[in-house]
Amino acid sequence: MYADAKTDSKSLEFIGKRSSDYRDALSGYANAWRSDIACMKRFLKPAPGERVLEVGAGNGYFSTAIAECVGPDGLLVASDPSIEQLSGLESDSAYGNVRVVPASADTLDIDFYDFDAIWSRGAIHHVTDKTSAFTRFADLTRPGGRLVIADIFAGTPLARYFDSFIARSCSTGHEVAFLSREFAESLCTLTGWSQPAFHEVITPWEFERREDIGVFLQLLFSATPDFSAEDCFEAADRFLSVSETASGWALMWPMTVMTATFPAHG
């Protein structure tokens, strides 16, 4: 997730400090994304014995959960152009059913195919050639297979938050191209997918203390020293929504989930 697809670049986004900050965010606040795991299961519906391709696997946060769902008879292929964060994912998998491959979404030069489902969360907006990416998704999916993309779409509050604040504060920058619903529909038509459905989903990122939210965001997006944890909190509160809960605090994180299927021909 949040992976730079330009593998021919001299410096991938998710290496070094950017990678370690991201890993520290999710290890220090491991429960923050529990609702996102539930969201993944709701839309992807990974079942025992299935073959699933994860595009832009990031640090493997969703990979482990998917691998557990498909079980010992299934397969989870976790792809990312920068696999520094995925070290140990294969060896640590409970069923030995995980394979990690260094591959960008627009090429996906991998030795696996006939996937039952493709999952991507927070990565497609980094992909330069989305037409090639969707074409490769179709090439690798069996007839009747499904595509589930959870991402930031153009014109949404989350896109404005990223363009206004993350682009300025992130240590590696954040120059991206957010999908619009219209372009996503065209991509699906051009590359053989069904008419996509779009779902607006808000997942609460949960924390014990208010200040934890700012620290988490500061690490997750590897803010430069010019931006404090409080700066990160205030920007999120301004563009999104932060509220006190019965057990602590929650940042309401809105994303668009796009689902489509690869038609079974004949």
Side-chain angles (χ1 to χ4, degrees), residues 39-55 65-67 69-71 74-76 108 113-120 133-134 136-150 188 191-197 199 257-264:
C39 179
M40 176 275 292
K41 291 179 179 179
R42 173 188 170 192
F43 290 101
L44 182 63
K45 298 181 175 64
E50 286 195 321
R51 295 166 62 90
V52 177
L53 170 64
E54 182 178 14
V55 177
I66 296 170
C69 290
V70 301
L75 173 70
L76 182 280
L108 280 174
Y113 51 90
D114 284 345
F115 288 101
D116 297 285
I118 294 180
W119 159 259
S120 180
F134 274 60
R136 286 299 292 146
F137 297 164
D139 291 342
L140 295 170
T141 305
R142 67 164 180 80
R146 56 202 189 275
L147 173 65
V148 182
I149 293 174
C188 286
T191 58
W193 292 94
S194 69
Q195 180 77 2
H199 315 266
V257 179
M258 188 201 87
T259 58
T261 58
F262 192 64

Side-chain angles (χ1 to χ4, degrees), residues 14 29 41 47-48 107 126 141 145 166 194 199 214 224 232-233 244 254 263:
F14 274 76
Y29 299 93
K41 291 179 179 179
T107 57
H126 286 272
T141 305
I166 301 301
S194 69
H199 315 266
T224 66
C232 296
F233 173 89
E244 192 169 6

Side-chain angles (χ1 to χ4, degrees), residues 4-23:
D4 188 346
K6 295 172 283 188
T7 54
D8 57 345
S9 171
K10 291 183 179 179
S11 60
L12 289 169
E13 180 177 342
F14 274 76
I15 59 174
K17 184 178 185 299
R18 181 75 172 96
S19 174
S20 61
D21 282 351
Y22 193 96
R23 185 167 51 247

Side-chain angles (χ1 to χ4, degrees), residues 114-133:
D114 284 345
F115 288 101
D116 297 285
I118 294 180
W119 159 259
S120 180
R121 195 264 197 184
I124 299 302
H125 63 275
H126 286 272
V127 177
T128 302
D129 189 345
K130 294 177 175 58
T131 303
S132 292

Side-chain angles (χ1 to χ4, degrees), residues 35-243:
S35 294
D36 293 75
I37 293 292
C39 179
M40 176 275 292
K41 291 179 179 179
R42 173 188 170 192
F43 290 101
L44 182 63
K45 298 181 175 64
E50 286 195 321
R51 295 166 62 90
V52 177
L53 170 64
E54 182 178 14
V55 177
N59 77 325
Y61 187 88
F62 292 92
S63 310
T64 299
I66 296 170
E68 290 175 353
C69 290
V70 301
D73 295 325
L75 173 70
L76 182 280
V77 176
S79 69
D80 201 290
S82 176
I83 60 170
E84 180 177 315
Q85 297 185 91
L86 294 173
S87 175
L89 186 63
E90 287 190 15
S91 59
D92 292 342
S93 62
Y95 301 115
N97 60 349
V98 176
R99 299 294 180 270
V100 172
V101 292
S104 62
D106 49 2
T107 57
L108 280 174
D109 184 14
I110 61 177
D111 295 326
F112 300 91
Y113 51 90
D114 284 345
F115 288 101
D116 297 285
I118 294 180
W119 159 259
S120 180
R121 195 264 197 184
I124 299 302
H125 63 275
H126 286 272
V127 177
T128 302
D129 189 345
K130 294 177 175 58
T131 303
S132 292
F134 274 60
T135 299
R136 286 299 292 146
F137 297 164
D139 291 342
L140 295 170
T141 305
R142 67 164 180 80
R146 56 202 189 275
L147 173 65
V148 182
I149 293 174
D151 216 311
I152 305 161
F153 273 61
T156 62
L158 194 55
R160 290 191 286 273
Y161 164 65
F162 271 78
D163 283 343
S164 178
F165 183 73
I166 301 301
R168 289 189 293 141
S169 63
C170 181
S171 60
T172 55
H174 199 268
E175 185 175 346
V176 297
F178 297 120
L179 266 176
S180 67
R181 288 191 177 201
E182 294 78 11
F183 187 43
E185 289 173 345
S186 293
L187 283 175
C188 286
T189 298
L190 291 168
T191 58
W193 292 94
S194 69
Q195 180 77 2
F198 300 95
H199 315 266
E200 298 303 324
V201 177
I202 298 177
T203 56
W205 290 5
E206 300 175 286
F207 302 87
E208 291 184 4
R209 302 173 300 170
R210 174 191 180 278
E211 54 266 35
D212 291 338
I213 297 175
V215 174
F216 179 77
L217 294 171
Q218 188 182 38
L219 288 170
L220 190 71
F221 300 114
S222 194
T224 66
D226 295 332
F227 294 89
S228 67
E230 184 62 22
D231 293 332
C232 296
F233 173 89
E234 290 178 355
D237 192 30
R238 182 165 68 252
F239 286 95
L240 307 175
S241 176
V242 177
S243 59

